[in-house]
Structures are given as C-alpha cells and as structure tokens.
Amino acid sequence: MKKSGSESLKSINLRPFVESIIAILVGFIIGAIVLLAFGYNPWSAYYWLFQGALGSTYGIASTLKYATPIMLTALTFAIGTRTGIFNIGAEGSFYFGAIAAVIFTNIWDNMLFGLAMGMLLGALWALPAAVLKVYRGVHEVISTIMLNWIGWFFVLWLIVGPYANPNDPNKTIRIPVDARLPIIGYGLSIAIVIAVIAAVLTYFLLWHTTMGFGMRASGINQKAARYAGMNPKMAVMWSFLIGGLLSGLGGAMKIMGEGPGYAISQGGANIYGFGFDGIGVALVGRNHPLGIILSAIFFGMLRAGTALMQAQAHVPLEIIKVIQGIIVITVAIPSLYDLVKKAIHRGAA
Amino acid sequence: MKKWLSLFLIGLMALSVVASGCISPGGEESTKGAIAIVYDVGGRGDLSFNDMAYLGASKAAEDFNLDLVELQSNSEDDYVKNLETLAAQKKYLVIIAVGFMMTDAVKQVADEYPDQKFAIIDGYIPDKDNVMSILFKENEGSALAGALAGLIAANDGKDKVGIVLGMEIPVLYKFEAGYRFGVKWAEDYYKQKEGKDVTIDVLYQYTGSFGDAAKGKAAARAQLAQGAWVIYQVAGGTGLGVFDAVGEVLDSQGKKMGPPFAIGVDSAQDWIKPGVIIASMMKRVDVGVYTAVKDAVEGNFKGGIVELGLKEGGVGLSTVDDVMAMFDSLPEDTQKQKLKDLGFNSRDELKQYLEDTRKQVPDWVWDAVKELQGKITTGVIKVPAPMDKDGIVEVRNAKTWQEMMELAK
C-alpha cells in the first residue's frame, strides 16, 4: 500500500471531493451527448431537471425526501466497506425496518417505539450474516444476498397476509396518525433531519471514538489490527449490527414519514430497491458519511427533477433513466476504482 | 496536475453549457390549452389500461386542439410528486390520473390545489368539487358476458359455466353479480325460445391474486373438469392462465376452436388466443379519459362520481373490429411477431379466424345478447351492482334475473 496508515486514516481529504465533482460534470456531458443523439435538447432537459429539483420550495423538499432512505442504506454499505466487508444486506434490513414500523405502531401508536423497533429488527436481520462471517467465514456477499431474498419473501407474505388492509387491498394497514413523523412542510418529514444526524453520528463513531478506530483499523489490515491488540471479529460484528440498525431506521422512516399512504403498498413496491441504490450513493460519497449526505441529496435531485423534465422538456421517462444511469456510473467510477484497487491489494497481501 | 487542469476546464465548459441553457429554456408554442395525464407504474405499452388511456387522451387533444403532456411514474413514490408538479404549473385544463392506485395521491394534491381540476380513472373520490372519479358499470358489461356464456351452454345442452376472479375486493363483486345476472337471463330467454327448462350453474372462484397465471390455470382446469362450458376471466394476469387451460382442452380434443370458450376482460383480448376466446368484456378507459377532457373543455366539469355503462359506451362486449383496432395500435414489428407466434401469415387471416371463431356460435345467440344490451341501454332492465359481501350473497341466492333486478333497485 502506498499510503501510510496514519495518512489514510485521516478523515478530511479534499481530493475525493474534487474528483467527484469532476466526475459529475463528465457524467452530465456524456448524458448531454446521449440526449442530443436521441433528438432532445440537453439544455432544456437539464434546465428543467434542476428546476424540478431545486427551483421551488416544493422541489427542494422533494429532493430531500428522496435523499432520506438512500442516505441511510448508503451508510450501511459505507460502514461495511470501512471495516473491510462488502455488506449488501441493507436491502433486507430496510424491509424489516418498514414492516416493524407497521406492526409495532399498530400495537402502541408511539413514534419513538416504532423507530426503535424498526432499528432493532433491522439490526437483528443483519445478525445471521455477521455470525456466519465471524464464526464460519461465510462470505458476506453470498450470505447477505440470500438473506435479502429470504427477508423479501417473508415480508411480502406479511404484506399480503396478516397485515393487509381489508379496506384497501392495495396496501398494508396504515401507521396510526399519532405515530407518524412530524412534517416540516411540503410533504417532507423530520426523517431527513434524523438521517443527517445519523450520518454525523456515524462519522463521529468512525473517526472520533476508540471503537471506530478499531473498526477502521481492522478494515485496513486485520492481522495488524489483531497484533495491535484490537478485536477484528467484534469490529465486523458491530459493523453488521450498526449497518442493519441504520437501514432498519431508514425502512421505518420511509413508511412512518411519507404520506399519503403511510403504509407498505402491494408487492412491497415502495420499499424495494433502496438498499441497492444505497450502494451507488455510498460509492459516489466515497464511503464517507459526510460525503454520503451530499451524494444522497444529489441522487435525490435526479429523482425529483424527472417530473418537470418529462412535462416541460418532453423527454420520456425511459430516456431520463438512461441519462441518470450514465451520470451515476460516471460518478461512481473513481470510487469503484479505489475499491477494486484495494481488493486486489488485499488479495495480494 | 495538467491532467486535472484539463479535466477541470472541460467541467467548467459543461457547467457554462448548462448555465446558458438556464437562461434560455426551450420555447413552447401553445394551442388552446393543455391537458396532462399521469400513468401508474405500469406505463404505456401494457396493451391495456394505460394504452387505452393514451388513446382517449390523444383523441381528445386532437379534437379540442390541446397540448398533451404525459407523465409516467417510476415508482409509487412518484404519484404525489408528479401530480403536484403538474398542479403547481397551473396551466392544465384537467389532470388525469390513470388507475386506482393513485387515489390517495389525488386526494392529497386536490386538497392542496382546489382550483385545479383532476380526474381519476377507477378511483373512488366522491366528495371533492375538483375531482371527477370515473368509474365503469362493470356489472352491465358482465351481464352481456353472462348472457353469452349461458346461451352457448344452453345451446350445447350443458348446464355449467365458470368465472375465475382475482382478489376478493368489492369491485369484483360487480363483475360476478353481472355475470350471474346474464346467465339467469339466458336461462329465461332459452326457455321462452325453445320451450325447455334449463338450469345453468355458475362455478366461481376467487384466486386471491391478479398476477399469477398458474393459479388461474388451476382454477380454470378444476371448473372445466366439473363441466364448465364457458369461463369468464376477471383476474388480470392470473386470468391469462384461464386461456391456457381452455386452450389445452381444445388441443386434447384436436379442436382449433371452441367450445369450450373463454371470455376476456378489460381490453379486447380475443387476439391473445384466437379460437379460444369468444369475446371480451371491455372497459373503455379511452372513453372515460375522453369524457373527462370533453367536460372540462365544454365547462361541464363536475366533481364527484361519473359512472359509464353500456349507454355511455363505457363498457361493452368486444366486436372483431374492436379487436383489430387494438391489434393495429401495436407497433409494427410487434404485430409481425405476434402474427408469427399465432401462426398467421397476415392480419386479414387473423381477422378471418376471429370471425370464424364467432361463427361457432349460432347467430340467434349473438342477437339475443344484442337484445339484452338494448334493454339495459334503454333502462328497461337493471343489473345489480353489489358493493359488499352481503350484497353478493343476495345475488348468489337469487333464483331468477327478475329477483336480481329487485336487488338493483
């Protein structure tokens, strides 16, 4: 490894930030070329994208609303990466956070209780993968993918079975009014504030506590960490559990904080995919909690701008998704490059 | 460092391009106004709801010289955002939401923008001045399906017909009740015509799903084994399995055309399995959308429920022309592929085949169905439309269509 240990443990490093900004610009340029090739006006398309995402109070609220769940699932992935594991179990924990909120707020209509149970079930769902990894060496990519599917079908059964809404077969029962998250305005709940606080706390944990130092150290070199008297096994364990807790919180807040339904819809349509999107957000945010806040908002902008881009620039949704895909891939390239480089180094070590 | 500098300059250029775009966004030419339509996550290309909604909207835009803005939803989370973004622009005569899944979203946004007119297809929002809920009298269309099924069975000396449904939700009771009504009416008609008493049982099953073709197939197989002669499917994707099951029975008997037959639902589905599907009960979403726009343009827009039945052309039994119109609206290469899959050389061959299929049923049956249609249209006959469990049980227990008609009052 080129960098010395102390250097790579340093938290403030502007280079990744500049790289990301440049990557974003390059992504937009390639996107513009594609738009031109399909016969759409890229200026007008991008103008309305930004207008839709940032041009009004409602647009900004909408951007932040989309940013909230992916901010939390991105933190799950980032904590994993920092401790040297490739945790893609955010998806499963997210489902359990969401269904836990539905189940437990209908037992006791208390907001904090709902959030706590969401976090608890999210963390519990991460536990099997953690135990398998630590005590049996099962690779976390395999175990988390499989657990995601198990969780998906189990939650799907809960959605269409015991917790289906008899008056509205399209949804589960709703979160009781008293347990819903307070709304700041324009449909945006305090979930975004909680998510940002979670990101800051994660940053604090990783860079300003002994435990976080141990986690990052075992992520960089397990053997060295053990030699230095740390416990890499516990570090991995905590990384899974905290990751699951954050995604569980994300799932709970998705349902408790977003109207008008305040329920999981048929087929789990409104809780699916946030864990995977979180991986992209984490890569763009360079696996840094503070970078993730910014990159989640960037992803939120791309989502929120689509309505005006369709209505005003007349770009069909399919093309918009292509452009977004191009931008996201371009933006993720520097981080992917780092990740692959690290993996190769570790393999060689 | 040089590399970074050049990259940065490229970035700066891109930014200036974007920025200059901000100063002069694309101009818009205006016609007489604009309408907007928001699709659910299914989107265009579903050969059903959304495509039919587009047909209605584009026809209305042309007839009234309006701009048409279409918005597709990426996920359910987009419903509120899409509706709200359009409403905030304050330039649409009416915003049309396609599909009952948007009900909650329309309710919310309609409250925030009381001056904006909305219409929702298939959603039930009875109490807002600015929301027109367009519903369909599925019971009336299903009565025609029931009459057709019952008469085919009676004509062939059979005593059972079937219906395979999706989830047990109130709107499906309307289908079931209408079908039962039609079958009972057919019994009576046949008795008057031939002077023979017939009793036709309706086998029914709620499969609990709209997307599981295997379940639909199993349900239809069970009904066929019990002697069902015609099966009406009211189960979306699950219902596609009904077509398969009926098709297999025909194959095993070496027949190319029924009976036994299946009856399709929602759009003109006859072309999906020519020979197997005798007709379809169409829900004319295009008529619904067109009606909403027309009312908004002509100043007749009223909030509340608008129910479209046989009289308004909102429901109906498909004709061969309806089927071919649906087929012609497909992209050309899809048409070619479809013809190839079905084993036809040309569009006309398909049309001929559909006409031949209908000839398996005697003309007097088709005339009888038309007669019932006329009586419902003129209001002489009323079809029950139960919206809850008690209501459907009453219909199931009724012995004659006259008894059922009492329930409709």
Side-chain angles (χ1 to χ4, degrees), chain B residues 277-319:
Chain B
I277 302 160
I278 184 72
S280 305
M281 200 292 278
M282 295 191 299
K283 231 164 124 168
R284 299 295 300 269
V285 174
D286 53 339
V287 175
V289 171
Y290 191 89
T291 307
V293 177
K294 186 167 182 273
D295 285 1
V297 170
E298 292 174 351
N300 298 325
F301 186 94
K302 276 202 302 278
I305 307 293
V306 173
E307 271 196 295
L308 303 176
L310 281 175
K311 193 175 156 195
E312 297 83 9
V315 291
L317 216 52
S318 63
T319 62

Side-chain angles (χ1 to χ4, degrees), chain A residues 50-66:
Chain A
F50 285 108
Q51 192 67 26
L54 303 172
S56 62
T57 327
Y58 176 75
I60 294 169
S62 184
T63 295
L64 294 176
K65 196 167 83 182
Y66 285 122

Side-chain angles (χ1 to χ4, degrees), chain A residues 209-264:
Chain A
T209 63
T210 323
M211 181 183 161
F213 182 79
M215 287 167 86
R216 282 184 302 128
S218 33
I220 291 164
N221 191 330
Q222 280 217 14
K223 284 178 192 157
R226 196 177 309 123
Y227 185 72
M230 296 167 189
N231 187 347
K233 281 187 177 176
M234 280 324 283
V236 168
M237 206 71 163
W238 279 117
S239 141
F240 270 109
L241 289 179
I242 296 169
L245 180 146
L246 288 166
S247 285
L249 175 66
M253 293 203 300
K254 179 79 181 52
I255 304 305
M256 293 166 66
E258 269 185 41
Y262 292 103
I264 304 176

Side-chain angles (χ1 to χ4, degrees), chain A residues 57-69 71-72 111 115 175 177-197 249-262, chain B residues 80 108 112:
Chain A
T57 327
Y58 176 75
I60 294 169
S62 184
T63 295
L64 294 176
K65 196 167 83 182
Y66 285 122
T68 309
M71 199 180 286
L72 288 158
M111 184 187 95
L115 292 179
I175 303 285
V177 179
D178 288 341
R180 293 174 189 174
L181 295 179
I183 298 291
I184 300 171
Y186 298 94
L188 179 70
S189 73
I190 59 159
I192 180 66
V193 180
I194 299 175
V196 170
I197 292 173
L249 175 66
M253 293 203 300
K254 179 79 181 52
I255 304 305
M256 293 166 66
E258 269 185 41
Y262 292 103
Chain B
V80 170
Q108 181 186 319
E112 287 163 16

Side-chain angles (χ1 to χ4, degrees), chain A residues 66 169 265 306 310 312 321, chain B residues 72 74 76 78 81 89 169:
Chain A
Y66 285 122
S265 43
T306 54
Q310 281 191 78
Q312 291 299 118
K321 285 200 217 164
Chain B
Q72 199 178 314
N74 189 24
E76 255 173 272
D78 290 347
K81 180 198 70 181
Q89 289 189 295
I169 50 178

Side-chain angles (χ1 to χ4, degrees), chain B residues 114-378:
Chain B
D115 296 332
Q116 171 69 54
K117 295 185 181 78
F118 293 90
I120 179 162
I121 305 293
D122 251 6
Y124 183 76
I125 306 176
D127 48 3
K128 295 198 196 307
D129 292 340
N130 59 333
V131 182
M132 181 186 270
S133 299
I134 296 169
L135 301 173
F136 299 88
K137 292 181 181 164
E138 294 95 350
N139 50 327
E140 295 188 353
S142 300
L144 301 187
L148 178 63
L151 290 170
I152 293 174
N155 184 50
D156 292 339
K158 306 289 175 181
D159 63 354
K160 287 191 185 76
V161 295
I163 177 170
V164 172
L165 304 109
M167 286 179 169
E168 193 161 352
I169 50 178
V171 65
L172 289 206
Y173 291 149
K174 281 164 82 181
F175 285 89
E176 189 195 328
Y179 189 66
R180 286 177 180 278
F181 182 93
V183 172
K184 286 288 161 203
W185 185 85
E187 280 178 0
D188 191 35
Y189 186 93
Y190 191 77
K191 191 177 157 191
Q192 310 244 338
K193 184 175 178 295
E194 300 285 322
K196 280 186 283 186
D197 269 332
V198 283
T199 313
I200 299 168
D201 286 338
V202 177
L203 308 173
Y204 68 103
Q205 186 176 350
Y206 285 86
T207 55
S209 95
F210 284 109
D212 189 344
K215 267 190 190 162
K217 194 169 175 179
R221 268 189 180 152
Q223 294 185 351
L224 288 163
Q226 290 176 64
W229 201 236
V230 180
I231 301 179
Y232 179 30
Q233 80 97 344
V234 192
T238 302
L240 297 177
V242 174
F243 301 151
D244 287 344
V246 175
E248 276 175 13
V249 169
L250 292 177
D251 283 346
S252 71
Q253 296 173 356
K255 290 203 287 190
K256 280 188 170 166
M257 291 172 189
F261 283 115
I263 298 177
V265 81
D266 285 351
S267 67
Q269 294 188 315
D270 310 33
W271 60 274
I272 294 177
K273 267 197 191 295
V276 170
I277 302 160
I278 184 72
S280 305
M281 200 292 278
M282 295 191 299
K283 231 164 124 168
R284 299 295 300 269
V285 174
D286 53 339
V287 175
V289 171
Y290 191 89
T291 307
V293 177
K294 186 167 182 273
D295 285 1
V297 170
E298 292 174 351
N300 298 325
F301 186 94
K302 276 202 302 278
I305 307 293
V306 173
E307 271 196 295
L308 303 176
L310 281 175
K311 193 175 156 195
E312 297 83 9
V315 291
L317 216 52
S318 63
T319 62
V320 172
D321 287 337
D322 288 329
V323 183
M324 294 320 289
M326 188 76 196
F327 184 78
D328 291 339
S329 72
L330 300 176
E332 210 159 291
D333 45 340
T334 316
Q335 288 186 18
K336 274 193 191 134
Q337 185 59 39
K338 200 70 218 173
L339 285 174
K340 210 174 123 198
D341 292 347
L342 293 171
F344 295 111
N345 295 318
S346 69
R347 175 190 178 281
D348 292 337
E349 239 181 80
L350 170 64
K351 190 176 176 199
Q352 188 58 47
Y353 198 87
L354 291 171
E355 274 164 4
D356 290 348
T357 304
R358 288 182 180 231
K359 286 192 189 121
Q360 306 298 309
V361 175
D363 283 343
W364 69 264
V365 169
W366 294 107
D367 292 341
V369 173
K370 270 205 195 95
E371 191 182 317
L372 176 60
Q373 176 166 1
K375 283 184 174 157
I376 296 172
T377 307
T378 50

Side-chain angles (χ1 to χ4, degrees), chain A residues 141-158:
Chain A
V141 169
I142 311 292
S143 60
T144 49
I145 285 182
M146 294 200 289
L147 283 164
N148 282 348
W149 283 114
I150 296 169
W152 172 246
F153 286 111
F154 181 66
V155 170
L156 214 52
W157 173 73
L158 290 171

